[in-house]
């Protein structure tokens, strides 16, 4: 009996194994003449009587594998550009390894063939998108295009996130566009001029010069311009006005040729930007007047001289109102409530430049000066109160606060790169300096009435603060090749940061103004670091890895003078700083990246200064001169899998940070809810998380379905009156999005997102704090009749477990109706913002020992009429959009 059962199981297992093998085809594709493998050859399997097919492309070795081949007779079609296509009939049961298929070069003349490049491509540090694979409306800007790209999110404020990390720069042709302000590019550059979008996991300038990864990375977007927009200028002018005094004006002008780029961007509005003209809802403060003007230039000045630079001026005046509810978890829970009215005025001037000069064949010098000047005024009126766990008010008060400051900042960096005669051998030197004085005047008047025992705490003070920051650094890096695909780097870095702060505090009464000796102080902090490191790197086209180790001695030297009494603090330390990275490309479509680096985080001058700060009378901050630097172990891994034939994409990212000597706050609770906060070092803080994005177009890219999600865990250990308080916080999100594009007349995007935030604290007297929300959003464009178009954005948000006084639902909708005139050179638009007049914003966050809910007023309903005039001059012979030549 056992033998029979074993025989049956063996036969079944053999049939299952035969069935599995019968569903897979594999083989190689080569050139019949050179016998070299053909990468990216297309192999299709078509079942008889069916129109759809399975298809794959070969890897760098010409190898392919097709799984889940249907039963029965099938055709195998092998094709490659410039070669004769081969078709082979496979009878049912013929599966497995088909061996080699040798394609014969096509030598006869062919008729014109239109070949579409893949929508997405992978490179070592870059994901490249072909812009015309993601059609957008006429007159769309870069921001509209980015919203359609898999793995990229753009929030309502225009902030860009790529694969879970913020985008910090926009470049055109590899040159920075308005350094440090991506929104100037995303909200102004026309989408129609863009050929390709590259999302680059960019290395530091030092790493790009030496080829060695120092672990400092940022997400950067680089744009390439369509050839038919080179040697041309174009742009548009917009003006609009509406009810309640709403207005906007904007100018955008661009000039591109083979050697130079020039852009002029400016405007003024009180609509929180110009998003209203694109159908999106503005979400900023209800009273906000802003104006800006900027010029960006990049190009060759001479044969070996290049310049990239920008100047930007901006001014704004905004008034906001916000209600907050902060719930603390200490020995007993208590709640802090506040209503804040803020008035803020800002002016900034910014000049950024990069001047590169090639000295002969082997030497390059790059000079990067930077000048920023800001003038700021801020005043707030705050009404606050504290409640205990029973809901009884224990204290209440008011605060009137104002601050004026100016902050000029001048810095510069000079880099020299020398290449030796031996390939791969190079020497890089870098020197930088950056003084930055800041002057500020504060006025603070506050009263706090404590009920038990009855006490009135009053503060009326003015402060003059002078801060001078000076930073000097120098580095030397030498790279030596050790053989084929191997090299070693030896580096030395020196940094000196000096911060001098002088604060004069005066007590004010109805009769006089007197110096407060106990709060008046001067503090001089000098941080000096030396770092010696050795790195080894090896790799080829398929993989590379790097390991390195650095030693960093640090000296933190501080001197404080309080009441004419000097105090000196000295903190020497020695850190070992490792770095490692690994990259592997499984195929042309799949890759994995791993990074690790250790980094020190020095305490700020405010965290070191041993003097209480009564700027907020309820949260008195006092520095700790005995603080040690914290050290972060940072891990990050990313996996990308793309199908260039179907356009399917999958991005997976993971991260983790472990902190040693983390700088956290020790909070001591006093009578009436008053807190004294002092920074201390502690162990046990770490975070871990992951995110993913899956996208799949179908039906000729008319439909694209995307899913994205994230999950994170943070453990934050702090001190409450000297007792450890461990906070455990889970955050997560899951979204699903469907995009529909029907030619040029219909464009719809529907999205649903669920988010949650769960927090629990070891000292909490209450249960865990749980907040979640459902957000549904749809935006669309429909060409109604001829040149008449309708665009809209609709969102509906459900907030769960919100505190009393917070609206559980928020509904927002904005629309714009536009008519093209003057041969599409002019656009008349009628826009409405916040159709249902549901002007409210809500956010939930958490901090050390508390969770906070904020609700603020935003710009409500208004109607605005606008006119846009487009201008352009295309060089002779270039094709204009639509294929018409000039």
């Amino acid at each position: 009996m056992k033998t029979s059962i074993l025989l049956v199981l063996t036969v079944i297992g053999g049939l299952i194994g035969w069935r599995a093998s019968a569903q897979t085809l594999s083989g190689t594709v080569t050139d019949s003449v050179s016998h070299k493998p053909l990468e990216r050859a297309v192999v299709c399997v078509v079942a008889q009587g069916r129109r759809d097919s399975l298809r794959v492309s070969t890897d760098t070795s010409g190898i392919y594998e097709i799984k889940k081949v249907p039963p029965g007779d099938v055709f195998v079609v092998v094709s490659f550009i410039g070669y004769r296509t081969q078709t082979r009939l496979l009878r049912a049961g013929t599966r497995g390894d088909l061996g080699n298929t040798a394609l014969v070069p096509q030598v006869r003349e062919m008729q014109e063939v239109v070949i579409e490049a893949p929508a997405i491509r992978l490179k070592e540090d870059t994901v490249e998108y072909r812009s015309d694979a993601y059609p957008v409306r006429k007159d769309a800007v870069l921001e509209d295009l980015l919203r359609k790209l898999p793995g990229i999110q753009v929030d309502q404020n225009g902030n860009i996130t790529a694969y879970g990390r913020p985008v910090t720069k926009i470049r055109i042709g590899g040159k920075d566009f308005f350094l440090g302000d991506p929104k100037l590019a995303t909200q102004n550059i026309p989408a129609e001029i863009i050929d390709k979008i590259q999302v680059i996991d960019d290395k530091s300038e030092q790493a790009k010069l030496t080829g060695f990864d120092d672990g400092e990375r940022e997400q950067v977007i680089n744009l390439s311009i369509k050839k038919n927009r080179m040697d041309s200028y174009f742009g548009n002018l917009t003006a609009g006005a509406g009810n309640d005094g709403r207005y906007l004006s904007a100018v955008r002008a661009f000039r591109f040729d083979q050697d130079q780029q020039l852009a002029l961007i400016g405007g003024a509005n009180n609509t929180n930007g110009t998003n209203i003209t694109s159908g999106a809802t503005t979400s900023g403060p209800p009273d906000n007047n802003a104006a800006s003007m900027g010029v960006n230039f990049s190009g060759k000045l001479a044969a070996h001289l290049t310049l990239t630079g920008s100047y930007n001026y901006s001014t704004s005046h905004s008034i906001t109102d916000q209600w907050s509810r902060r719930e603390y978890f200490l020995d007993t829970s208590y709640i802090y409530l506040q209503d804040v009215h803020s008035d803020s005025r800002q002016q900034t001037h910014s000049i950024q430049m990069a001047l590169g000069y090639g000295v002969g064949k082997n030497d390059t010098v790059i000079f990067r000066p930077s000048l920023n000047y800001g003038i700021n005024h801020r005043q707030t009126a705050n009404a606050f109160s504290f409640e205990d766990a029973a809901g009884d008010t224990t204290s209440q008060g008011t605060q009137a606060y104002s601050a004026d400051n100016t902050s000029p900042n001048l810095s510069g960096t000079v880099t020299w790169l020398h290449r030796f005669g031996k390939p791969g051998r190079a020497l890089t030197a870098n020197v930088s300096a950056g003084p930055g004085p800041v002057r500020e005047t504060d006025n603070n008047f506050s009263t706090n009435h404590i009920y038990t025992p009855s006490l009135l705490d009053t503060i009326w003070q003015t402060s003059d603060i002078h801060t001078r920051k000076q930073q000097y650094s120098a580095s030397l890096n030498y790279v030596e090749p050790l053989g084929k695909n191997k090299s070693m780097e030896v580096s030395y870095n020196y940094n000196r940061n000096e911060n001098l702060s002088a604060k004069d505090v005066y007590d004010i009464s109805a009769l006089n103004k007197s110096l407060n000796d106990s709060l008046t102080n001067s503090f001089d902090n000098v941080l000096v670091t030396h770092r010696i490191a050795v790195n080894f790197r090896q790799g080829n086209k398929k993989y590379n890895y790097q390991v390195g180790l650095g030693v960093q001695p640090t000296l933190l030297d501080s001197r404080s003078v309080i009441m004419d009494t000097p105090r000196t603090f000295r903190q020497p330390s020695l850190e070992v700083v490792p770095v490692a990275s690994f990259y592997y490309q499984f195929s042309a479509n799949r890759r994995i990246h791993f990074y690790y680096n250790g980094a020190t985080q020095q305490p700020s001058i405010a965290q070191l200064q041993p003097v209480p700060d009564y700027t907020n009378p309820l949260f008195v901050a006092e520095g700790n001169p005995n603080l040690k630097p914290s050290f972060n172990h940072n891990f990050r891994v990313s996996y990308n899998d793309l199908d260039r034939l179907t356009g399917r994409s999958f991005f997976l990212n993971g991260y983790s940070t472990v902190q040693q000597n983390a700088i956290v706050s020790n909070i001591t609770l006093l009578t009436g809810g008053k807190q004294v906060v002092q920074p201390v070092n502690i162990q046990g803080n770490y975070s871990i998380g992951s995110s993913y994005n899956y996208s799949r177009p179908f039906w000729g890219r008319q439909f694209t379905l995307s899913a994205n999600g994230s999950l994170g865990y943070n453990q934050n250990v702090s001190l409450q009156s000297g007792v450890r308080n461990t906070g455990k916080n889970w955050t997560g999100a899951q979204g699903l999005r469907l995009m529909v594009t029907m030619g040029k007349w219909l464009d719809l995007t529907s999205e649903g997102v669920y988010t949650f935030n769960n927090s629990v604290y070891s000292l909490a007297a209450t249960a865990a704090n749980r907040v979640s929300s459902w957000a549904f959003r749809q935006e669309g464009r429909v060409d109604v009749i001829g040149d008449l178009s309708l665009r809209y954005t609709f969102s509906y948000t459900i907030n769960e477990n919100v505190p009393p006084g917070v609206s559980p639902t928020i509904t927002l909708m904005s629309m714009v109706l536009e008519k093209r005139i003057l041969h599409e050179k002019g656009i008349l638009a009628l826009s409405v913002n916040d159709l249902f007049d549901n002007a409210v914003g809500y956010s939930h966050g958490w901090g050390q020992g508390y969770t906070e809910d904020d609700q603020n007023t935003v710009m409500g309903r208004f109607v605005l009429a606008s006119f846009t005039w487009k201008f352009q001059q295309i060089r002779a012979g270039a094709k204009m959009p639509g294929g018409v030549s000039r």
Side-chain angles (χ1 to χ4, degrees):
M1 183 66 178
K2 293 181 179 179
T3 304
S4 301
I5 294 174
L6 180 62
L7 180 60
V8 172
L9 292 176
T10 302
V11 172
I12 293 174
L15 291 173
I16 293 174
W18 174 84
R19 179 66 175 174
S21 64
Q23 301 305 307
T24 302
L25 290 178
S26 60
T28 58
V29 181
T30 61
D31 184 300
S32 63
V33 179
S34 66
H35 306 294
K36 293 182 178 180
L38 295 179
E39 181 185 3
R40 301 176 186 173
V42 178
V43 183
C44 299
V45 173
V46 183
Q48 284 190 328
R50 298 178 60 181
R51 299 183 61 184
D52 56 339
S53 63
L54 300 172
R55 61 172 60 192
V56 298
S57 58
T58 57
D59 61 15
T60 54
S61 301
I63 299 174
Y64 67 89
E65 183 180 28
I66 302 178
K67 298 179 180 180
K68 298 181 180 180
V69 177
D73 296 344
V74 296
F75 290 98
V76 178
V77 183
V78 183
S79 60
F80 192 73
I81 299 172
Y83 291 78
R84 295 178 181 174
T85 300
Q86 288 195 19
T87 303
R88 178 180 177 182
L89 174 63
L90 292 185
R91 295 297 182 182
T94 305
R95 301 293 188 265
D97 188 358
L98 300 184
N100 180 58
T101 301
L103 296 183
V104 179
Q106 179 68 275
V107 296
R108 65 181 177 85
E109 293 186 1
M110 300 178 63
Q111 295 179 348
E112 182 180 359
V113 178
V114 178
I115 302 171
E116 186 179 74
I120 312 178
R121 289 189 177 186
L122 278 180
K123 301 178 182 178
E124 180 177 346
D125 295 313
T126 304
V127 180
E128 183 179 88
Y129 301 87
R130 181 169 53 85
S131 65
D132 56 8
Y134 305 92
V136 293
R137 63 177 176 84
K138 294 179 180 180
D139 307 306
V141 293
L142 174 60
E143 182 178 283
D144 302 310
L145 179 57
L146 293 178
R147 293 181 188 274
K148 290 182 171 289
L149 304 185
I152 297 179
Q153 288 83 39
V154 183
D155 66 17
Q156 291 185 349
N157 296 319
N159 301 307
I160 313 164
T161 303
Y163 325 125
R165 299 170 60 207
V167 172
T168 57
K169 291 181 181 178
I170 302 292
R171 293 174 179 156
I172 298 179
K175 303 295 190 298
D176 289 331
F177 186 85
F178 283 104
L179 294 170
D181 194 347
K183 293 182 185 179
L184 283 177
T186 59
Q187 297 178 0
N188 289 282
I189 295 179
E192 64 180 356
I193 74 169
I194 300 169
D195 184 27
K196 294 181 176 63
I197 304 104
Q198 295 177 327
V199 181
I200 305 172
D201 191 16
D202 202 31
K203 301 176 183 177
S204 67
E205 291 295 330
Q206 185 67 36
K208 285 186 286 188
L209 290 172
T210 63
F212 280 82
D213 195 344
D214 56 8
E216 297 182 12
R217 296 259 178 160
E218 60 180 344
Q219 293 289 82
V220 173
I221 289 180
N222 181 56
L223 310 174
S224 63
I225 304 301
K226 292 179 179 178
K227 291 183 179 180
N228 64 359
R229 287 308 181 112
M230 303 302 288
D231 294 342
S232 61
Y233 68 82
F234 51 91
N236 58 60
L237 300 172
T238 300
N243 65 312
D244 294 335
R246 300 299 174 187
Y247 70 92
L248 68 85
S249 61
V251 56
R252 305 166 180 166
F254 302 91
R255 173 74 170 92
F256 293 104
D257 61 27
Q258 301 298 327
D259 297 321
Q260 294 182 345
Q261 303 171 5
L262 181 64
L264 172 64
I265 295 173
N269 68 84
N270 62 357
T271 62
N272 293 314
T274 57
N275 286 338
I276 181 63
T277 62
S278 64
T281 301
T282 62
S283 58
D287 297 298
N288 182 28
N289 286 272
S292 64
M293 188 276 290
V295 179
N296 187 86
F297 172 82
S298 177
K300 289 184 178 181
L301 302 182
H304 302 287
L305 185 64
T306 60
L307 173 65
T308 298
S310 64
Y311 166 75
N312 190 56
Y313 167 78
S314 64
T315 179
S316 66
H317 178 205
S318 62
I319 298 175
T320 60
D321 291 282
Q322 179 173 295
W323 173 87
S324 298
R325 182 183 188 273
R326 179 180 293 186
E327 185 170 359
Y328 285 89
F329 303 108
L330 302 172
D331 295 328
T332 57
S333 295
Y334 67 99
I335 297 171
Y336 171 60
L337 303 171
Q338 66 171 352
D339 281 298
V340 181
H341 176 81
S342 301
D343 189 320
S344 177
R345 300 173 186 264
Q346 297 179 332
Q347 289 188 56
T348 59
H349 298 266
S350 177
I351 299 176
Q352 310 282 340
M353 296 179 64
L355 187 66
Y357 181 65
V359 186
K361 295 173 59 178
N362 298 323
D363 294 273
T364 301
V365 177
I366 304 173
F367 175 48
R368 294 183 177 89
S370 175
L371 174 62
N372 295 279
Y373 182 75
I375 303 173
N376 302 284
H377 169 78
R378 182 179 78 259
Q379 62 184 48
T380 60
N382 181 14
F384 57 86
S385 63
F386 276 94
E387 296 178 356
D388 58 20
D392 297 326
T393 301
T394 59
S395 68
Q396 64 180 4
T398 60
Q399 181 192 29
Y401 177 81
S402 64
D404 294 272
N405 69 67
T406 57
S407 54
N409 189 293
L410 175 65
S411 62
T413 301
V414 178
T415 302
W416 169 57
L417 172 64
H418 175 74
R419 298 177 179 86
F420 296 89
K422 184 177 180 179
R425 181 181 292 170
L427 178 68
T428 306
N430 192 83
V431 178
S432 65
V438 177
R439 181 171 182 175
E440 181 171 325
T441 301
D442 296 350
N443 294 282
N444 184 17
F445 178 77
S446 66
T447 60
N448 182 25
H449 184 195
I450 301 171
Y451 292 160
T452 306
S454 181
L455 176 66
L456 184 63
D457 186 10
T458 302
I459 295 176
W460 192 2
Q461 292 177 341
T462 183
S463 304
D464 291 325
I465 306 171
H466 300 268
T467 303
R468 185 179 74 246
K469 299 179 180 180
Q470 292 182 325
Q471 179 179 1
Y472 306 96
S473 66
S475 64
L476 196 65
N477 297 67
Y478 176 75
V479 178
E480 176 66 26
L482 302 179
K484 186 177 181 180
N485 300 324
K486 299 178 182 178
S487 56
M488 180 181 69
E489 178 197 39
V490 180
S491 64
Y492 167 74
N493 295 77
Y494 167 81
N495 285 278
R496 186 181 191 275
N497 293 288
E498 180 175 4
N499 293 277
L500 176 62
S501 176
K503 184 176 182 179
D504 297 325
V505 181
Y506 298 89
D507 292 322
I508 300 175
S509 67
L511 299 177
N512 61 9
K513 172 181 175 182
S514 59
L515 183 69
N516 187 320
D517 292 333
S518 63
L519 299 181
T520 296
N521 67 92
S522 66
F523 189 78
D524 191 6
N525 174 58
V526 179
L527 173 68
V528 177
T529 62
H530 302 265
R531 182 172 177 176
I532 302 174
V534 177
N535 295 309
F536 174 80
R537 186 177 189 272
Q538 180 179 1
N540 54 32
K541 291 183 178 180
K542 199 172 187 66
Y543 78 94
N544 66 67
Y545 69 89
Q546 177 189 323
V547 291
L549 190 66
V551 179
Q552 180 174 295
T554 301
L555 177 61
L556 184 61
D557 198 349
S558 304
R559 184 176 184 271
S560 177
V561 179
I562 304 173
M563 298 182 68
D564 297 326
T565 302
R567 301 172 63 188
T568 302
F569 308 92
R570 199 173 177 85
Q571 286 278 359
S573 62
L574 179 66
E575 302 286 352
V576 177
V577 185
V579 62
S581 66
F582 176 74
Y583 166 82
Y584 186 80
Q585 184 160 340
F586 300 95
S587 66
N589 306 326
R590 292 187 298 136
R591 70 178 187 188
I592 189 169
H593 266 171
F594 170 80
Y595 303 101
Y596 164 78
N597 75 304
T600 58
Q601 181 178 345
Q602 302 295 334
S604 67
I605 189 170
Q607 292 173 325
L608 292 167
Q609 196 165 1
V611 180
D613 181 0
Y614 289 95
T615 299
N616 189 331
L618 298 179
F619 303 93
V620 180
E622 183 174 353
N624 178 5
N626 296 312
L627 278 180
K628 298 179 181 179
S630 66
F631 188 85
N632 295 339
H633 299 273
N634 302 308
F635 302 85
R636 186 163 61 88
V637 62
S638 64
Y639 173 78
N640 306 135
D641 184 3
L642 306 179
D643 188 330
R644 294 180 296 180
L645 296 175
T646 64
R648 175 192 57 79
S649 65
F650 177 67
F651 302 95
L652 179 64
N653 299 277
Y655 69 88
S656 177
T657 298
V658 179
Q659 292 182 290
Q660 291 179 284
N661 292 322
I663 300 175
V664 301
S665 296
N666 179 23
I667 301 177
T668 303
L669 179 63
L670 304 179
T671 304
K674 188 174 182 178
Q675 298 179 23
V676 177
V677 182
Q678 186 179 47
V680 295
N681 293 112
I682 207 166
Q683 306 294 341
N685 281 11
Y686 68 90
S687 62
I688 186 171
S690 64
S691 63
Y692 83 95
N693 180 276
Y694 177 85
S695 179
R696 176 65 185 264
F698 52 97
W699 286 354
R701 295 191 179 277
Q702 294 184 74
F703 296 84
T704 301
L705 184 64
S706 301
N708 60 83
S710 64
L711 182 65
Y713 174 77
N714 296 273
Q715 177 167 296
N716 301 280
V717 182
S718 58
L719 295 179
Q720 309 288 353
S721 300
V723 181
R724 287 173 66 94
N725 184 26
T726 302
K728 298 181 179 181
N729 176 256
W730 284 95
T731 59
Q734 177 59 57
L736 191 65
R737 180 173 63 176
L738 176 65
M739 294 189 297
V740 181
T741 302
M742 297 292 184
K744 296 182 178 181
W745 67 273
L746 178 64
D747 194 351
L748 296 175
T749 299
S750 300
E751 183 176 25
V753 181
Y754 172 75
T755 61
F756 69 88
N757 188 323
N758 295 346
S759 304
V760 62
Y761 297 88
S762 59
L763 295 183
T766 61
N769 181 272
R770 296 183 177 92
V771 175
S772 58
S773 68
W774 295 86
F776 304 93
R777 177 183 173 89
Q778 186 179 83
E779 59 183 28
R781 172 194 57 82
V782 182
D783 289 346
V784 184
I785 301 174
D787 294 326
L788 187 66
S789 299
L790 173 68
R791 296 196 302 275
Y792 69 92
T793 299
F794 172 80
S795 66
Y796 181 71
T797 304
I798 305 172
N799 297 306
E800 300 175 325
N801 302 319
V802 297
V806 175
S807 174
T809 62
I810 299 176
T811 306
L812 295 174
M813 185 171 186
S814 293
M815 304 175 67
V816 56
L817 185 66
E818 66 179 23
K819 170 68 175 178
R820 301 175 185 276
I821 60 176
L822 303 177
H823 304 287
E824 297 196 351
K825 291 183 179 180
I827 303 174
L828 287 172
L830 182 66
S831 312
V832 56
N833 181 74
D834 192 5
L835 182 64
F836 304 117
D837 203 20
N838 195 0
V840 64
Y842 169 73
S843 65
H844 174 83
W846 54 273
Q848 184 177 316
Y850 69 84
T851 61
E852 181 170 312
D853 296 275
D854 298 318
Q855 186 166 285
N856 57 286
T857 57
V858 297
M859 189 167 294
R861 180 171 56 201
F862 66 88
V863 179
L864 184 140
S866 64
F867 174 72
T868 299
W869 176 63
K870 297 174 59 178
F871 59 88
Q872 64 179 4
Q873 177 63 53
I874 310 297
R875 62 181 172 86
K879 289 186 177 180
M880 297 181 62
V884 180
S885 299
R886 293 186 63 90

